[in-house]
Amino acid sequence: MFERAGAPAIHYTLDGKRGPWLVLSHSLGCDVSMWDAQMSALTGRYRVLRYDTRGHGRSGVGATPCTLEQLADDAAQLMDHLRIDEATWIGFSMGGMIGQTFALKYPQRVQGLVLADTTSQHGATPQSVWDERIRVARAHGIEPLVQPAIARWFTTSFRETQPAAVAAVAQVIASTSVEGWAGACAAIASVHTTSDLYRIGCPALVMVGEHDIGTPLAASLEMHRHLPQSTLAVIADAAHMTCIEQPERFNRALRMFLDSTVGASSEAARERL
């Protein structure tokens, strides 16, 4: 736990003993466990920092609402605490919005950027929808929001054939604090980075599920078009939660990107030594 004076504590985990650093930032309503299916694919060659966004998992909530800039600053302070000068940011949904903000504010600290099932501005989910989700949470708690999220996040086939995996995600959503949920919804509803993405010069991978309706392919295409050094990967047979619904396909695309960018640079550096 990273304790901070005047700011919420941040819970984090560290895995892997060598290689370039990766920072993994999860979705709204999730925590570090969202990335469990990626760890075996990453920790052999990379050092991995996972953390709970404020108001999620075991991290503190702090004052709400919060902004994407504050959430990016949280990550920067955590990296400072751990003496991580630079890393590849792997952000999923909300984590991708935080990642875009982080890369624009701290470009010297980002070696690569992975934006999975996220957006640079909301088209599919207007402000009124976020306002309603905040209202429901404060009036009735998180429970009424769990099943609608599950229906958006996973295909019908996955929900029917993998009930245990779905139930585990539903439990994490339900455990999210009301103010953590409300604060994060207010932050991500304001994302509007499209016109600034041209300033992100590091290698980038944009990933999206074939059947994602919340952050659809059109949103990923928009980011892909505006990022100078980006690759687009569409994950077949998945809705929003590609890293859980299709972990092998997700991990394959992720490792190909990492190994050919920051991984290759690291190998070249070792050879020069």
Side-chain angles (χ1 to χ4, degrees):
M1 193 72 74
F2 172 38
E3 302 285 351
R4 300 181 292 170
I10 301 176
H11 168 250
Y12 66 93
T13 66
L14 299 173
D15 296 279
K17 296 182 179 180
R18 64 185 182 90
W21 277 104
L22 311 177
V23 175
L24 276 56
S25 182
H26 61 75
S27 173
L28 172 71
C30 292
D31 61 13
V32 294
S33 68
M34 192 197 84
W35 300 107
D36 285 351
Q38 279 63 62
M39 299 312 294
S40 62
L42 299 177
T43 54
R45 189 172 184 182
Y46 300 95
R47 289 176 290 177
V48 181
L49 164 61
R50 292 183 285 174
Y51 74 99
D52 291 334
T53 302
R54 64 166 68 187
H56 291 67
R58 294 170 58 191
S59 290
V61 178
T64 59
C66 55
T67 66
L68 287 171
E69 287 73 18
Q70 287 175 302
L71 298 180
D73 289 343
D74 285 348
Q77 291 172 22
L78 178 58
M79 289 172 67
D80 288 343
H81 172 68
L82 297 170
R83 298 181 180 178
I84 301 173
D85 294 328
E86 58 182 3
T88 293
W89 185 283
I90 302 174
F92 196 102
S93 195
M94 174 178 69
M97 300 173 211
I98 299 170
Q100 293 168 64
T101 306
F102 186 95
L104 289 166
K105 189 170 185 178
Y106 303 103
Q108 73 282 3
R109 306 193 72 168
V110 182
Q111 293 178 293
L113 181 64
V114 179
L115 303 175
D117 295 273
T118 188
T119 187
S120 55
Q121 60 187 54
H122 288 293
T125 311
Q127 181 68 48
S128 59
V129 172
W130 296 109
D131 291 342
E132 177 63 8
R133 290 173 184 171
I134 293 170
R135 186 197 67 78
V136 170
R138 287 185 168 148
H140 306 289
I142 301 298
E143 190 59 38
L145 297 160
V146 174
Q147 289 309 313
I150 291 297
R152 294 190 304 273
W153 289 6
F154 298 106
T155 62
T156 301
S157 175
F158 188 82
R159 296 197 304 272
E160 292 175 348
T161 60
Q162 301 292 332
V166 172
V169 175
Q171 184 177 7
V172 175
I173 300 172
S175 69
T176 306
S177 70
V178 168
E179 284 306 309
W181 174 278
C185 282
I188 63 182
S190 68
V191 66
H192 201 338
T193 57
T194 306
S195 61
D196 291 318
L197 293 181
Y198 75 94
R199 297 198 283 114
I200 299 177
C202 65
L205 171 65
V206 181
M207 307 173 72
V208 62
E210 177 186 11
H211 305 296
D212 192 336
I213 58 174
T215 52
L217 176 59
S220 288
L221 285 169
E222 187 78 356
M223 292 185 293
H224 175 48
R225 281 194 293 264
H226 284 81
L227 288 163
Q229 295 193 61
S230 67
T231 302
L232 176 67
V234 179
I235 307 299
D237 301 319
H240 186 61
M241 275 288 163
T242 49
C243 63
I244 295 175
E245 186 161 1
Q246 293 291 346
E248 291 185 3
R249 293 173 181 171
F250 184 96
N251 293 350
R252 187 181 309 117
L254 181 58
R255 274 297 301 263
M256 286 178 62
F257 170 75
L258 294 173
D259 293 351
S260 64
T261 54
V262 292
S265 298
S266 177
E267 286 290 340
R270 280 198 293 269
E271 288 176 4
R272 286 195 297 270
L273 293 174

